[in-house]
Amino acid sequence: MFMITIKNKISVPKYKQIVNSIETAITSGILKKGDQLPSINDVKNKHSLSRDTVLTAFNELKNRGIIQSVVGKGYYVSSEDIKVDQKIFLLFDELNSFKEDLYNSFLEGLGENVQVDIFFHHFNRKIFDKLIFDNIGAYNFYVIMPANLKETNTMIQNLPNDKVYILDQIHEDLMHYPSVYQNFEEDIFENLTKADIVIKKYEKLVLVFSEERQPRGMLDGFVKYCRQQNFNFKVINSLKNRDVTSGELYIIPEDKNLLRIIKLIKNKSLKLSKDIGVISYNDTLLKEIVEGGITTISTDFNAMGKSLAEMILNKEQKKIANPNNLIIRNSI
């Protein structure tokens, strides 16, 4: 049976003795994940302690992710890894090569004794809500990538404001949270402007845009650029049944569509850059090589991960616009 040991004539604070007792019980196997702890009142009464002393001990363990509270039931062991100082909930939209760079940079920036649990909502609002709801109170910090899901604050507001960080896209109802974000409207407008001389050799700009997966700012910035430069343009949501025509420049946010457009170009015996131009989003090593190099508009995901880690470690409440660059290669 699990017992909390309190000694009066030692220099260790009593709240710390409670912490040590619980840690020892976990490492020895007496307490396991899912086991219930004695209530605050039970510990208080048995050892003649103040409620604040017991609560301080439980809160320390809770903040480290070792125990969690269940409303109306009490405290339970949530992790047997007592070496972990902090636990971070990381919710991505999906996993791809550049998100992997972001994740690895984030982990490296956090250092040791920090546990990061990664989840994916796959642009599904029900999954998004369930993942957050199921993990309320289980983590020290919550890093959330809402993507283009709407009104996500209705669920996020159930988390402590000072424990939430927003990543990548930031919507109006999330502006009060600290964040590392991309300014999609400004980024696409400025980067297309940088490539203006090359772009002008094309007759028409085509953005392949999915409302379900891409940020609205990307569309707004694209339209703004085309109208300001008096370019003929079109926005399509799919390359299915698309008849590519010489003189078109395609802006492709998704990698699957990048492969599709290259295939369409080859099927019509057209030449990339000479007949059809392509600008992709988010640079990867593969895009440096494919077809002699694909031009990209890309944020620095390593910098994003590093900035996020620094904010959490320093407990900063800032909004950081992540750097974004145009890399011109042989595809335009």
PDB file of all heavy atoms in Angstrom, residues 92 98-99 101-110 167 180 300-312 322:
ATOM      1  N   PHE A  92      -0.269  19.248 -34.296  1.00  0.00           N
ATOM      2  CA  PHE A  92      -0.022  19.629 -35.691  1.00  0.00           C
ATOM      3  C   PHE A  92      -1.258  19.313 -36.536  1.00  0.00           C
ATOM      4  O   PHE A  92      -2.109  18.512 -36.145  1.00  0.00           O
ATOM      5  CB  PHE A  92       1.145  18.835 -36.268  1.00  0.00           C
ATOM      6  CG  PHE A  92       2.510  19.412 -35.966  1.00  0.00           C
ATOM      7  CD1 PHE A  92       3.649  18.749 -36.396  1.00  0.00           C
ATOM      8  CD2 PHE A  92       2.665  20.589 -35.265  1.00  0.00           C
ATOM      9  CE1 PHE A  92       4.916  19.254 -36.131  1.00  0.00           C
ATOM     10  CE2 PHE A  92       3.912  21.110 -34.985  1.00  0.00           C
ATOM     11  CZ  PHE A  92       5.046  20.440 -35.431  1.00  0.00           C
ATOM     12  N   PHE A  98       8.710  19.203 -43.859  1.00  0.00           N
ATOM     13  CA  PHE A  98       9.067  20.469 -43.230  1.00  0.00           C
ATOM     14  C   PHE A  98       8.507  20.578 -41.810  1.00  0.00           C
ATOM     15  O   PHE A  98       9.096  21.234 -40.948  1.00  0.00           O
ATOM     16  CB  PHE A  98       8.643  21.671 -44.087  1.00  0.00           C
ATOM     17  CG  PHE A  98       7.355  21.533 -44.805  1.00  0.00           C
ATOM     18  CD1 PHE A  98       6.174  21.931 -44.228  1.00  0.00           C
ATOM     19  CD2 PHE A  98       7.323  21.017 -46.092  1.00  0.00           C
ATOM     20  CE1 PHE A  98       4.969  21.811 -44.885  1.00  0.00           C
ATOM     21  CE2 PHE A  98       6.112  20.890 -46.773  1.00  0.00           C
ATOM     22  CZ  PHE A  98       4.932  21.291 -46.162  1.00  0.00           C
ATOM     23  N   LYS A  99       7.394  19.900 -41.535  1.00  0.00           N
ATOM     24  CA  LYS A  99       6.905  19.851 -40.154  1.00  0.00           C
ATOM     25  C   LYS A  99       7.870  19.019 -39.298  1.00  0.00           C
ATOM     26  O   LYS A  99       8.043  19.284 -38.103  1.00  0.00           O
ATOM     27  CB  LYS A  99       5.510  19.230 -40.104  1.00  0.00           C
ATOM     28  CG  LYS A  99       4.443  19.989 -40.881  1.00  0.00           C
ATOM     29  CD  LYS A  99       3.993  21.227 -40.158  1.00  0.00           C
ATOM     30  CE  LYS A  99       3.014  22.011 -41.044  1.00  0.00           C
ATOM     31  NZ  LYS A  99       1.876  21.219 -41.543  1.00  0.00           N
ATOM     32  N   ASP A 101      11.095  19.007 -39.733  1.00  0.00           N
ATOM     33  CA  ASP A 101      12.174  19.956 -39.419  1.00  0.00           C
ATOM     34  C   ASP A 101      11.782  20.847 -38.251  1.00  0.00           C
ATOM     35  O   ASP A 101      12.584  21.112 -37.351  1.00  0.00           O
ATOM     36  CB  ASP A 101      12.486  20.818 -40.644  1.00  0.00           C
ATOM     37  CG  ASP A 101      13.159  20.043 -41.763  1.00  0.00           C
ATOM     38  OD1 ASP A 101      13.700  18.957 -41.474  1.00  0.00           O
ATOM     39  OD2 ASP A 101      13.126  20.516 -42.909  1.00  0.00           O
ATOM     40  N   LEU A 102      10.549  21.333 -38.270  1.00  0.00           N
ATOM     41  CA  LEU A 102      10.035  22.174 -37.190  1.00  0.00           C
ATOM     42  C   LEU A 102      10.051  21.416 -35.865  1.00  0.00           C
ATOM     43  O   LEU A 102      10.511  21.938 -34.839  1.00  0.00           O
ATOM     44  CB  LEU A 102       8.616  22.622 -37.544  1.00  0.00           C
ATOM     45  CG  LEU A 102       7.729  23.200 -36.431  1.00  0.00           C
ATOM     46  CD1 LEU A 102       8.365  24.434 -35.815  1.00  0.00           C
ATOM     47  CD2 LEU A 102       6.350  23.542 -36.993  1.00  0.00           C
ATOM     48  N   TYR A 103       9.567  20.199 -35.883  1.00  0.00           N
ATOM     49  CA  TYR A 103       9.499  19.371 -34.680  1.00  0.00           C
ATOM     50  C   TYR A 103      10.893  19.116 -34.099  1.00  0.00           C
ATOM     51  O   TYR A 103      11.127  19.276 -32.891  1.00  0.00           O
ATOM     52  CB  TYR A 103       8.804  18.050 -35.018  1.00  0.00           C
ATOM     53  CG  TYR A 103       8.758  17.041 -33.896  1.00  0.00           C
ATOM     54  CD1 TYR A 103       7.994  17.276 -32.763  1.00  0.00           C
ATOM     55  CD2 TYR A 103       9.475  15.850 -33.987  1.00  0.00           C
ATOM     56  CE1 TYR A 103       7.947  16.345 -31.727  1.00  0.00           C
ATOM     57  CE2 TYR A 103       9.432  14.917 -32.965  1.00  0.00           C
ATOM     58  CZ  TYR A 103       8.668  15.176 -31.840  1.00  0.00           C
ATOM     59  OH  TYR A 103       8.613  14.255 -30.825  1.00  0.00           O
ATOM     60  N   ASN A 104      11.839  18.732 -34.960  1.00  0.00           N
ATOM     61  CA  ASN A 104      13.193  18.441 -34.493  1.00  0.00           C
ATOM     62  C   ASN A 104      13.879  19.680 -33.943  1.00  0.00           C
ATOM     63  O   ASN A 104      14.594  19.618 -32.932  1.00  0.00           O
ATOM     64  CB  ASN A 104      14.023  17.839 -35.634  1.00  0.00           C
ATOM     65  CG  ASN A 104      13.583  16.426 -35.993  1.00  0.00           C
ATOM     66  OD1 ASN A 104      13.053  15.711 -35.156  1.00  0.00           O
ATOM     67  ND2 ASN A 104      13.781  16.044 -37.236  1.00  0.00           N
ATOM     68  N   SER A 105      13.675  20.820 -34.588  1.00  0.00           N
ATOM     69  CA  SER A 105      14.247  22.078 -34.102  1.00  0.00           C
ATOM     70  C   SER A 105      13.656  22.463 -32.749  1.00  0.00           C
ATOM     71  O   SER A 105      14.365  22.946 -31.856  1.00  0.00           O
ATOM     72  CB  SER A 105      13.996  23.191 -35.127  1.00  0.00           C
ATOM     73  OG  SER A 105      14.449  24.435 -34.651  1.00  0.00           O
ATOM     74  N   PHE A 106      12.376  22.240 -32.590  1.00  0.00           N
ATOM     75  CA  PHE A 106      11.686  22.519 -31.331  1.00  0.00           C
ATOM     76  C   PHE A 106      12.253  21.661 -30.206  1.00  0.00           C
ATOM     77  O   PHE A 106      12.581  22.154 -29.117  1.00  0.00           O
ATOM     78  CB  PHE A 106      10.192  22.264 -31.521  1.00  0.00           C
ATOM     79  CG  PHE A 106       9.342  22.521 -30.312  1.00  0.00           C
ATOM     80  CD1 PHE A 106       9.433  23.708 -29.600  1.00  0.00           C
ATOM     81  CD2 PHE A 106       8.420  21.567 -29.880  1.00  0.00           C
ATOM     82  CE1 PHE A 106       8.643  23.945 -28.483  1.00  0.00           C
ATOM     83  CE2 PHE A 106       7.620  21.793 -28.776  1.00  0.00           C
ATOM     84  CZ  PHE A 106       7.742  22.986 -28.069  1.00  0.00           C
ATOM     85  N   LEU A 107      12.404  20.364 -30.448  1.00  0.00           N
ATOM     86  CA  LEU A 107      12.949  19.460 -29.444  1.00  0.00           C
ATOM     87  C   LEU A 107      14.373  19.847 -29.061  1.00  0.00           C
ATOM     88  O   LEU A 107      14.735  19.853 -27.881  1.00  0.00           O
ATOM     89  CB  LEU A 107      12.945  18.018 -29.965  1.00  0.00           C
ATOM     90  CG  LEU A 107      11.603  17.316 -30.124  1.00  0.00           C
ATOM     91  CD1 LEU A 107      11.826  15.871 -30.534  1.00  0.00           C
ATOM     92  CD2 LEU A 107      10.787  17.368 -28.848  1.00  0.00           C
ATOM     93  N   GLU A 108      15.173  20.164 -30.060  1.00  0.00           N
ATOM     94  CA  GLU A 108      16.561  20.543 -29.800  1.00  0.00           C
ATOM     95  C   GLU A 108      16.637  21.805 -28.946  1.00  0.00           C
ATOM     96  O   GLU A 108      17.471  21.922 -28.049  1.00  0.00           O
ATOM     97  CB  GLU A 108      17.290  20.754 -31.128  1.00  0.00           C
ATOM     98  CG  GLU A 108      18.771  21.062 -30.969  1.00  0.00           C
ATOM     99  CD  GLU A 108      19.473  21.221 -32.299  1.00  0.00           C
ATOM    100  OE1 GLU A 108      18.908  20.808 -33.340  1.00  0.00           O
ATOM    101  OE2 GLU A 108      20.587  21.779 -32.318  1.00  0.00           O
ATOM    102  N   GLY A 109      15.740  22.753 -29.219  1.00  0.00           N
ATOM    103  CA  GLY A 109      15.731  24.009 -28.471  1.00  0.00           C
ATOM    104  C   GLY A 109      15.288  23.851 -27.033  1.00  0.00           C
ATOM    105  O   GLY A 109      15.697  24.616 -26.161  1.00  0.00           O
ATOM    106  N   LEU A 110      14.464  22.842 -26.753  1.00  0.00           N
ATOM    107  CA  LEU A 110      13.950  22.635 -25.397  1.00  0.00           C
ATOM    108  C   LEU A 110      14.984  22.015 -24.464  1.00  0.00           C
ATOM    109  O   LEU A 110      14.952  22.234 -23.255  1.00  0.00           O
ATOM    110  CB  LEU A 110      12.712  21.739 -25.435  1.00  0.00           C
ATOM    111  CG  LEU A 110      11.451  22.354 -26.038  1.00  0.00           C
ATOM    112  CD1 LEU A 110      10.394  21.278 -26.220  1.00  0.00           C
ATOM    113  CD2 LEU A 110      10.913  23.485 -25.180  1.00  0.00           C
ATOM    114  N   LEU A 167       0.651  28.224 -33.333  1.00  0.00           N
ATOM    115  CA  LEU A 167       1.717  27.998 -34.303  1.00  0.00           C
ATOM    116  C   LEU A 167       1.201  28.095 -35.730  1.00  0.00           C
ATOM    117  O   LEU A 167       0.133  27.587 -36.058  1.00  0.00           O
ATOM    118  CB  LEU A 167       2.318  26.608 -34.058  1.00  0.00           C
ATOM    119  CG  LEU A 167       3.682  26.280 -34.657  1.00  0.00           C
ATOM    120  CD1 LEU A 167       4.752  27.256 -34.172  1.00  0.00           C
ATOM    121  CD2 LEU A 167       4.071  24.860 -34.276  1.00  0.00           C
ATOM    122  N   VAL A 180       4.029  31.928 -32.819  1.00  0.00           N
ATOM    123  CA  VAL A 180       5.019  32.041 -33.885  1.00  0.00           C
ATOM    124  C   VAL A 180       4.240  31.729 -35.153  1.00  0.00           C
ATOM    125  O   VAL A 180       3.734  30.619 -35.314  1.00  0.00           O
ATOM    126  CB  VAL A 180       6.189  31.056 -33.713  1.00  0.00           C
ATOM    127  CG1 VAL A 180       7.240  31.309 -34.794  1.00  0.00           C
ATOM    128  CG2 VAL A 180       6.817  31.200 -32.329  1.00  0.00           C
ATOM    129  N   ASP A 300      11.078  29.574 -42.694  1.00  0.00           N
ATOM    130  CA  ASP A 300      12.187  28.858 -42.077  1.00  0.00           C
ATOM    131  C   ASP A 300      11.630  28.050 -40.895  1.00  0.00           C
ATOM    132  O   ASP A 300      11.441  28.584 -39.806  1.00  0.00           O
ATOM    133  CB  ASP A 300      13.253  29.850 -41.609  1.00  0.00           C
ATOM    134  CG  ASP A 300      14.508  29.162 -41.105  1.00  0.00           C
ATOM    135  OD1 ASP A 300      14.426  27.992 -40.699  1.00  0.00           O
ATOM    136  OD2 ASP A 300      15.576  29.806 -41.103  1.00  0.00           O
ATOM    137  N   PHE A 301      11.353  26.769 -41.126  1.00  0.00           N
ATOM    138  CA  PHE A 301      10.737  25.948 -40.085  1.00  0.00           C
ATOM    139  C   PHE A 301      11.692  25.659 -38.929  1.00  0.00           C
ATOM    140  O   PHE A 301      11.258  25.457 -37.803  1.00  0.00           O
ATOM    141  CB  PHE A 301      10.194  24.655 -40.687  1.00  0.00           C
ATOM    142  CG  PHE A 301       8.932  24.860 -41.475  1.00  0.00           C
ATOM    143  CD1 PHE A 301       8.964  24.936 -42.855  1.00  0.00           C
ATOM    144  CD2 PHE A 301       7.716  25.001 -40.833  1.00  0.00           C
ATOM    145  CE1 PHE A 301       7.801  25.146 -43.583  1.00  0.00           C
ATOM    146  CE2 PHE A 301       6.547  25.209 -41.553  1.00  0.00           C
ATOM    147  CZ  PHE A 301       6.589  25.288 -42.934  1.00  0.00           C
ATOM    148  N   ASN A 302      12.985  25.641 -39.211  1.00  0.00           N
ATOM    149  CA  ASN A 302      13.951  25.484 -38.121  1.00  0.00           C
ATOM    150  C   ASN A 302      13.909  26.692 -37.190  1.00  0.00           C
ATOM    151  O   ASN A 302      13.945  26.554 -35.965  1.00  0.00           O
ATOM    152  CB  ASN A 302      15.360  25.295 -38.678  1.00  0.00           C
ATOM    153  CG  ASN A 302      15.562  23.920 -39.292  1.00  0.00           C
ATOM    154  OD1 ASN A 302      15.232  22.900 -38.684  1.00  0.00           O
ATOM    155  ND2 ASN A 302      16.080  23.876 -40.503  1.00  0.00           N
ATOM    156  N   ALA A 303      13.815  27.887 -37.775  1.00  0.00           N
ATOM    157  CA  ALA A 303      13.716  29.113 -36.973  1.00  0.00           C
ATOM    158  C   ALA A 303      12.416  29.134 -36.182  1.00  0.00           C
ATOM    159  O   ALA A 303      12.381  29.586 -35.033  1.00  0.00           O
ATOM    160  CB  ALA A 303      13.801  30.341 -37.884  1.00  0.00           C
ATOM    161  N   MET A 304      11.337  28.618 -36.779  1.00  0.00           N
ATOM    162  CA  MET A 304      10.043  28.571 -36.101  1.00  0.00           C
ATOM    163  C   MET A 304      10.123  27.693 -34.849  1.00  0.00           C
ATOM    164  O   MET A 304       9.654  28.069 -33.772  1.00  0.00           O
ATOM    165  CB  MET A 304       8.963  28.055 -37.054  1.00  0.00           C
ATOM    166  CG  MET A 304       7.569  28.019 -36.455  1.00  0.00           C
ATOM    167  SD  MET A 304       6.295  27.461 -37.646  1.00  0.00           S
ATOM    168  CE  MET A 304       6.043  28.960 -38.598  1.00  0.00           C
ATOM    169  N   GLY A 305      10.725  26.520 -34.985  1.00  0.00           N
ATOM    170  CA  GLY A 305      10.871  25.622 -33.853  1.00  0.00           C
ATOM    171  C   GLY A 305      11.743  26.208 -32.760  1.00  0.00           C
ATOM    172  O   GLY A 305      11.448  26.087 -31.566  1.00  0.00           O
ATOM    173  N   LYS A 306      12.832  26.866 -33.162  1.00  0.00           N
ATOM    174  CA  LYS A 306      13.746  27.477 -32.196  1.00  0.00           C
ATOM    175  C   LYS A 306      13.064  28.611 -31.437  1.00  0.00           C
ATOM    176  O   LYS A 306      13.179  28.718 -30.209  1.00  0.00           O
ATOM    177  CB  LYS A 306      14.984  28.003 -32.919  1.00  0.00           C
ATOM    178  CG  LYS A 306      16.023  28.600 -32.001  1.00  0.00           C
ATOM    179  CD  LYS A 306      17.249  29.074 -32.792  1.00  0.00           C
ATOM    180  CE  LYS A 306      18.281  29.709 -31.854  1.00  0.00           C
ATOM    181  NZ  LYS A 306      19.464  30.198 -32.609  1.00  0.00           N
ATOM    182  N   SER A 307      12.341  29.473 -32.157  1.00  0.00           N
ATOM    183  CA  SER A 307      11.642  30.591 -31.514  1.00  0.00           C
ATOM    184  C   SER A 307      10.597  30.101 -30.534  1.00  0.00           C
ATOM    185  O   SER A 307      10.433  30.649 -29.435  1.00  0.00           O
ATOM    186  CB  SER A 307      10.980  31.477 -32.581  1.00  0.00           C
ATOM    187  OG  SER A 307      11.937  32.086 -33.414  1.00  0.00           O
ATOM    188  N   LEU A 308       9.872  29.061 -30.923  1.00  0.00           N
ATOM    189  CA  LEU A 308       8.837  28.495 -30.060  1.00  0.00           C
ATOM    190  C   LEU A 308       9.450  27.937 -28.774  1.00  0.00           C
ATOM    191  O   LEU A 308       8.939  28.178 -27.669  1.00  0.00           O
ATOM    192  CB  LEU A 308       8.084  27.403 -30.812  1.00  0.00           C
ATOM    193  CG  LEU A 308       6.995  26.662 -30.049  1.00  0.00           C
ATOM    194  CD1 LEU A 308       5.887  27.610 -29.629  1.00  0.00           C
ATOM    195  CD2 LEU A 308       6.434  25.528 -30.907  1.00  0.00           C
ATOM    196  N   ALA A 309      10.555  27.204 -28.896  1.00  0.00           N
ATOM    197  CA  ALA A 309      11.217  26.627 -27.719  1.00  0.00           C
ATOM    198  C   ALA A 309      11.697  27.729 -26.775  1.00  0.00           C
ATOM    199  O   ALA A 309      11.535  27.630 -25.556  1.00  0.00           O
ATOM    200  CB  ALA A 309      12.394  25.756 -28.166  1.00  0.00           C
ATOM    201  N   GLU A 310      12.275  28.787 -27.349  1.00  0.00           N
ATOM    202  CA  GLU A 310      12.775  29.887 -26.517  1.00  0.00           C
ATOM    203  C   GLU A 310      11.643  30.577 -25.766  1.00  0.00           C
ATOM    204  O   GLU A 310      11.782  30.919 -24.589  1.00  0.00           O
ATOM    205  CB  GLU A 310      13.519  30.903 -27.397  1.00  0.00           C
ATOM    206  CG  GLU A 310      14.876  30.408 -27.884  1.00  0.00           C
ATOM    207  CD  GLU A 310      15.553  31.398 -28.818  1.00  0.00           C
ATOM    208  OE1 GLU A 310      14.904  32.419 -29.175  1.00  0.00           O
ATOM    209  OE2 GLU A 310      16.715  31.162 -29.190  1.00  0.00           O
ATOM    210  N   MET A 311      10.517  30.778 -26.435  1.00  0.00           N
ATOM    211  CA  MET A 311       9.378  31.417 -25.769  1.00  0.00           C
ATOM    212  C   MET A 311       8.879  30.591 -24.592  1.00  0.00           C
ATOM    213  O   MET A 311       8.570  31.124 -23.527  1.00  0.00           O
ATOM    214  CB  MET A 311       8.234  31.656 -26.765  1.00  0.00           C
ATOM    215  CG  MET A 311       8.365  32.936 -27.559  1.00  0.00           C
ATOM    216  SD  MET A 311       6.758  33.637 -27.973  1.00  0.00           S
ATOM    217  CE  MET A 311       6.095  32.397 -29.045  1.00  0.00           C
ATOM    218  N   ILE A 312       8.786  29.287 -24.788  1.00  0.00           N
ATOM    219  CA  ILE A 312       8.278  28.422 -23.726  1.00  0.00           C
ATOM    220  C   ILE A 312       9.259  28.351 -22.562  1.00  0.00           C
ATOM    221  O   ILE A 312       8.871  28.472 -21.396  1.00  0.00           O
ATOM    222  CB  ILE A 312       7.978  27.018 -24.282  1.00  0.00           C
ATOM    223  CG1 ILE A 312       6.728  27.080 -25.182  1.00  0.00           C
ATOM    224  CG2 ILE A 312       7.768  26.010 -23.153  1.00  0.00           C
ATOM    225  CD1 ILE A 312       6.390  25.785 -25.857  1.00  0.00           C
ATOM    226  N   ASN A 322       7.372  34.667 -38.393  1.00  0.00           N
ATOM    227  CA  ASN A 322       8.501  33.856 -38.818  1.00  0.00           C
ATOM    228  C   ASN A 322       9.031  34.318 -40.169  1.00  0.00           C
ATOM    229  O   ASN A 322       8.260  34.696 -41.054  1.00  0.00           O
ATOM    230  CB  ASN A 322       8.084  32.381 -38.913  1.00  0.00           C
ATOM    231  CG  ASN A 322       9.244  31.446 -38.703  1.00  0.00           C
ATOM    232  OD1 ASN A 322       9.910  31.495 -37.672  1.00  0.00           O
ATOM    233  ND2 ASN A 322       9.510  30.591 -39.680  1.00  0.00           N
TER     234      ASN A 322
END
